[in-house]
Amino acid sequence: MKIQENAVVGLTYELKVSKIEDEIESAPFSVEIRDEEDPFYFLFGQSGLPEKFEELLAGNAEGEDFAFDISVEDAYGALDDELVISLPSDQFSGERGFSPEMLEEGNFLPLMDENGYSMQAKILKNMGDSLLLDFNHPLVGFDLHFEGKIIEVREATKEELEHGHVHGEHGEHE
C-alpha cells in the first residue's frame, strides 16, 4: 500500500535542522531521532507536522527510504514577535505546580491554553517579577532535514478515522 489520505504510517527518521543567519547557513545538527524502538506513527493527513512533510511522503510505500528538506517557509515559518510576551512570575507559583528549577532561562514550560489544550513556552529571561516567554514553535526559523525509512503503511480503521489518531501498539489506546 502506498501512503495516501487516511493511511496509518509508521516511520523511523532523524531530523536535523539548520538556520541561515547573515546569509550563512549553519551546519545541520540533529534534534530528534525516531528509531525502531520508538517509531513515529500518524494518521496521514493529520500528523500535526508541516503540510509539506506529508506532501513529500505521499505515494511512497512500506520499506522505502526517504530524505528531503523543508524550508523555513514550508516548515514552521519565521519568528513571530507577537508570540514573545512577558507574564507576571506569580502566575508560575508552587501552588500552580511550578518549581523554581522549572523557571530557569532556556527551559520549556508545559502550559495549557484557556481551552485546555497543551502548549509550551520557552523562558527567554527570568526578570524576577516577570518571565519573558516565547510561545513560537521550537523549530521556528529553521530549515528541516529529514532522513528515514517507512516501516509500515496500512489502512486506518474506522475508529482511527473517527478519532483522528492511531490506536493500538504505536498510538493512543481507546
Side-chain angles (χ1 to χ4, degrees):
M1 178 176 179
K2 293 198 179 284
I3 296 176
Q4 59 192 351
E5 196 72 26
N6 298 326
V8 170
V9 181
L11 308 172
T12 59
Y13 65 80
E14 179 175 14
L15 169 59
K16 293 181 179 180
V17 297
S18 62
K19 184 179 257 192
I20 298 177
E21 290 186 39
D22 299 324
E23 299 181 24
I24 299 170
E25 184 171 5
S26 68
F29 58 94
S30 184
V31 294
E32 182 179 34
I33 295 176
R34 299 297 294 262
D35 59 17
E36 290 82 8
E37 298 293 316
D38 183 30
F40 175 58
Y41 274 79
F42 65 97
L43 184 59
F44 191 78
Q46 300 183 43
S47 71
L49 291 170
E51 195 175 300
K52 191 72 168 177
F53 176 82
E54 291 191 15
E55 182 183 305
L56 292 167
L57 286 173
N60 288 314
E62 185 174 317
E64 291 184 3
D65 293 326
F66 62 89
F68 53 78
D69 298 332
I70 302 176
S71 68
V72 167
E73 297 78 23
D74 289 329
Y76 294 100
L79 182 75
D80 182 347
D81 291 333
E82 291 185 18
L83 294 176
V84 177
I85 60 173
S86 181
L87 292 175
S89 296
D90 60 8
Q91 290 187 10
F92 306 97
S93 65
E95 295 84 42
R96 294 186 178 196
F98 296 95
S99 67
E101 299 81 39
M102 293 173 75
L103 304 180
E104 294 175 8
E105 292 177 16
N107 284 350
F108 285 89
L109 289 177
L111 304 171
M112 287 198 165
D113 68 12
E114 60 275 358
N115 298 316
Y117 293 107
S118 295
M119 57 191 294
Q120 64 179 3
K122 182 177 182 179
I123 300 173
L124 298 178
K125 187 149 187 74
N126 186 335
M127 299 175 289
D129 61 345
S130 64
L131 295 176
L132 184 61
L133 302 175
D134 183 354
F135 285 88
N136 282 285
H137 189 281
L139 295 178
V140 76
F142 287 98
D143 290 323
L144 309 180
H145 311 275
F146 285 93
E147 188 170 333
K149 184 174 187 127
I150 301 162
I151 60 171
E152 185 177 353
V153 180
R154 65 169 174 81
E155 286 186 39
T157 65
K158 181 180 172 211
E159 291 79 20
E160 289 170 326
L161 293 173
E162 287 172 357
H163 294 176
H165 59 255
V166 178
H167 289 187
E169 180 182 356
H170 299 290
E172 295 183 31
H173 297 281
E174 298 174 82

